Amino acid sequence: MSVAVENFVKAIYKNNNNESNDTKPGNIAKKLGISNAAATDMAKKLATKHLLNYEKYKALKLTDKGEKMALNIVRKHRLWEAFLYKTFDMSLHDIHREAELLEHETSNFLANKISEYLGNPKFDPHGDPIPNINGKITTVDVSISLANTQEGKSYTISRLMSDDKEFFDFCAQNGLKYGNTVLVTKQFNKNKMTQISINNNTILLNEDFSKIIYANEIN
Amino acid sequence: MSVAVENFVKAIYKNNNNESNDTKPGNIAKKLGISNAAATDMAKKLATKHLLNYEKYKALKLTDKGEKMALNIVRKHRLWEAFLYKTFDMSLHDIHREAELLEHETSNFLANKISEYLGNPKFDPHGDPIPNINGKITTVDVSISLANTQEGKSYTISRLMSDDKEFFDFCAQNGLKYGNTVLVTKQFNKNKMTQISINNNTILLNEDFSKIIYANEIN
DNA sequence: TAAAAAATTTAAGTAAGCTTAAAAATTAAT
DNA sequence: ATTAATTTTTAAGCTTACTTAAATTTTTTA
């Protein structure tokens, strides 16, 4: 399948998983930077290939075949991210940019080699789960955003949900990294700010950031 | 530039370097598995982009700009080969196949990371030279094919010039590997065979193979 | 060197993946 | 509940990268 098809299927998958349920062509078009008309055309075409179900004016829905394809691409993307992060010590932003290209030109054979080499990791450096060889995500994510954490409790960072370079730069500078521990020292509910302590530094996060940093409580 | 353009330019570069001088569209078409007409079209198009000089019925010749592009792609290809070979212990055939895809989706940034990681190697696992960041090949190849070596002398394997899986499998099985040492025990000039000794094994190579294995005499 | 063979070019056409503009349907707002 | 705004779809058209078939030029060979 072409890069265009793979990206289209991936965009639908991500839209259905991460966000509100409005997976209409225009929405996907926006994410891919193409026109609504192009997205409608593509949707129709992929319906004939049984990758998704298409009904005029309705939301797009991947078939099992389509979802499997999406998960395969997501797997390759996240494996590359994990690999580049570990091997070349690249930033979260850089690994994403490179993985976005490499994911489409990676054989299953190579993907499996990368996975094995890394010890078949279950998460990438953003904390996103890596589908297994069969395109299944076996982990269950019960983490919550820092905005919803409780004062006085400690948490392990589990996910950095963004693709914004400035956010990642901020995280890297402050030790906000997958697996690291933070203590929530104060929730300023009125101002929607979260104060945390990490590496003996105090950081005040506004809602933009506290909402996209996910973590698990340490018992 | 598109994958099609990159492969076209690369094919011209390789044709001019490795073989006879007949770099006409039909020849490139054969290598790329496209029609002669398609190759002519592409040649004309690339001429307008100043990547090559095109004259009807004449051989194609890359401009400096075209050659620079070719060398950049070759660099990425060979860096990937070196990297995959080292990191995942893949076969010479497998690394070629994967590199053929990855080379087109690799940023200069990532290529430089790979190069640094490997210690800026000058050769890939086939013994082919890796162009540097500026697209220059600084090494001089004075190696000769095993067919042209002398009885009783020892050589270091410097290059395995092929892209045939069976040949690479044969090499791997017999320790015929870049950097390894062989002793030429006999040249059967009449029958065009070369007998070598490697790892205490004696191997009789026919001309097909002795001509594509290159080596340097050990003094 | 002239005819035959081979290669190259031109011409016409196709599929993928886009575009813009207009028409149709849905959704939101008063 | 209409009207207005938005979104989706349709229609027509473009570019890239191919194809096959025919015309032209070059190369080979007898």
Side-chain angles (χ1 to χ4, degrees):
Chain A
M1 288 294 157
S2 68
V3 172
V5 168
E6 290 190 351
N7 278 332
F8 198 85
V9 166
K10 190 178 73 163
I12 294 173
Y13 172 79
K14 290 201 151 188
N15 202 251
N16 274 333
N17 274 261
N18 296 359
E19 287 166 53
S20 63
N21 208 15
D22 197 26
T23 315
K24 301 232 182 103
N27 234 301
I28 303 303
K30 214 171 286 170
K31 308 225 170 188
L32 296 176
I34 61 178
S35 69
N36 286 7
T40 299
D41 275 3
M42 182 63 96
K44 282 191 201 167
K45 202 185 77 180
L46 297 194
T48 71
K49 297 189 176 178
H50 308 292
L51 289 169
L52 52 81
N53 296 126
Y54 174 73
E55 274 186 278
K56 268 192 185 183
Y57 302 108
K58 296 277 165 63
L60 304 175
K61 199 167 171 348
L62 292 178
T63 61
D64 285 356
K65 187 181 167 193
E67 181 152 311
K68 205 165 180 183
M69 176 185 281
L71 282 158
N72 187 249
I73 302 157
V74 166
R75 168 173 162 79
K76 287 167 183 172
H77 180 99
R78 293 178 182 169
L79 282 172
W80 272 119
E81 289 199 333
F83 184 73
L84 297 175
Y85 191 71
K86 178 182 176 180
T87 308
F88 301 127
D89 194 33
M90 284 161 56
S91 75
L92 290 184
H93 182 256
D94 287 341
I95 62 175
H96 177 77
R97 190 194 55 221
E98 303 293 341
E100 204 69 12
L101 299 173
L102 296 172
E103 63 184 11
H104 305 292
E105 304 302 334
T106 306
S107 66
N108 290 335
F109 173 80
L110 179 55
N112 291 344
K113 287 275 181 187
I114 296 172
S115 182
E116 268 177 51
Y117 176 84
L118 296 171
N120 299 310
K122 296 220 182 279
F123 299 96
D124 75 12
H126 297 92
D128 296 327
I130 300 176
N132 68 16
I133 295 175
N134 306 310
K136 290 256 163 65
I137 291 174
T138 55
T139 54
V140 181
D141 186 5
V142 294
S143 60
I144 55 176
S145 77
L146 286 187
N148 297 319
T149 52
Q150 290 173 13
E151 281 180 19
K153 291 193 171 168
S154 283
Y155 296 83
T156 305
I157 294 173
S158 65
R159 219 160 167 184
L160 301 168
M161 280 195 172
S162 171
D163 48 18
D164 175 46
K165 176 164 168 32
E166 294 205 336
F167 172 68
F168 290 141
D169 286 348
F170 170 80
C171 290
Q173 267 165 33
N174 294 284
L176 290 163
K177 188 173 153 178
Y178 175 76
N180 281 8
T181 297
V182 297
L183 169 64
V184 176
T185 48
K186 184 112 187 71
Q187 286 286 12
F188 295 91
N189 294 312
K190 201 165 46 180
N191 299 300
K192 298 190 170 174
M193 295 194 299
T194 302
Q195 181 182 294
I196 60 173
S197 173
I198 182 167
N199 299 336
N200 292 321
N201 289 317
T202 295
I203 300 170
L204 209 49
L205 299 167
N206 74 356
E207 202 185 24
D208 288 345
F209 282 8
S210 68
K211 274 198 158 175
I212 57 178
I213 301 172
Y214 282 70
N216 288 304
E217 192 181 332
I218 297 170
N219 300 307
Chain B
M1 288 294 156
S2 69
V3 173
V5 168
E6 291 190 351
N7 278 332
F8 198 86
V9 166
K10 189 178 74 164
I12 295 173
Y13 172 80
K14 289 200 152 189
N15 202 252
N16 274 333
N17 274 261
N18 296 358
E19 287 166 52
S20 65
N21 208 15
D22 198 25
T23 314
K24 300 231 182 104
N27 233 302
I28 302 303
K30 213 172 284 169
K31 310 225 168 188
L32 296 176
I34 62 177
S35 68
N36 285 7
T40 299
D41 275 3
M42 182 63 96
K44 281 191 200 167
K45 202 184 76 179
L46 297 194
T48 72
K49 296 188 176 179
H50 308 293
L51 289 168
L52 52 81
N53 296 125
Y54 175 72
E55 274 186 277
K56 269 191 185 186
Y57 302 107
K58 297 275 164 63
L60 304 175
K61 199 164 171 351
L62 292 178
T63 61
D64 285 355
K65 186 180 167 193
E67 179 152 312
K68 204 164 181 184
M69 176 186 282
L71 281 159
N72 189 249
I73 302 157
V74 166
R75 167 174 163 82
K76 287 167 183 171
H77 181 97
R78 294 179 181 168
L79 282 172
W80 272 119
E81 289 200 333
F83 184 73
L84 296 175
Y85 191 73
K86 178 181 178 181
T87 308
F88 301 128
D89 194 32
M90 285 161 56
S91 74
L92 290 184
H93 182 254
D94 287 342
I95 61 175
H96 178 78
R97 191 194 55 222
E98 304 292 340
E100 204 68 13
L101 298 173
L102 297 172
E103 63 185 12
H104 304 293
E105 304 302 334
T106 305
S107 66
N108 290 335
F109 174 79
L110 179 55
N112 291 343
K113 286 274 181 187
I114 296 171
S115 182
E116 268 178 50
Y117 176 85
L118 295 171
N120 300 309
K122 297 220 182 277
F123 299 96
D124 75 12
H126 297 93
D128 296 327
I130 300 176
N132 67 18
I133 296 175
N134 306 309
K136 290 257 162 65
I137 292 174
T138 55
T139 54
V140 181
D141 186 5
V142 294
S143 61
I144 54 176
S145 78
L146 286 187
N148 296 321
T149 52
Q150 290 173 15
E151 281 179 18
K153 291 194 170 167
S154 283
Y155 296 85
T156 303
I157 295 174
S158 66
R159 218 158 169 186
L160 302 169
M161 280 196 174
S162 172
D163 48 17
D164 177 44
K165 177 166 168 31
E166 296 204 335
F167 171 69
F168 289 141
D169 286 348
F170 171 82
C171 289
Q173 267 165 36
N174 293 285
L176 291 164
K177 189 174 153 178
Y178 175 76
N180 280 7
T181 298
V182 297
L183 169 64
V184 175
T185 48
K186 184 113 186 71
Q187 285 287 11
F188 295 92
N189 293 312
K190 201 163 48 181
N191 299 300
K192 298 190 171 174
M193 293 194 302
T194 302
Q195 182 182 288
I196 61 172
S197 173
I198 181 167
N199 298 335
N200 291 321
N201 289 317
T202 295
I203 301 169
L204 204 52
L205 300 167
N206 76 355
E207 202 185 25
D208 287 346
F209 281 9
S210 68
K211 273 199 159 174
I212 57 177
I213 302 172
Y214 281 71
N216 288 305
E217 192 180 333
I218 297 171
N219 301 307

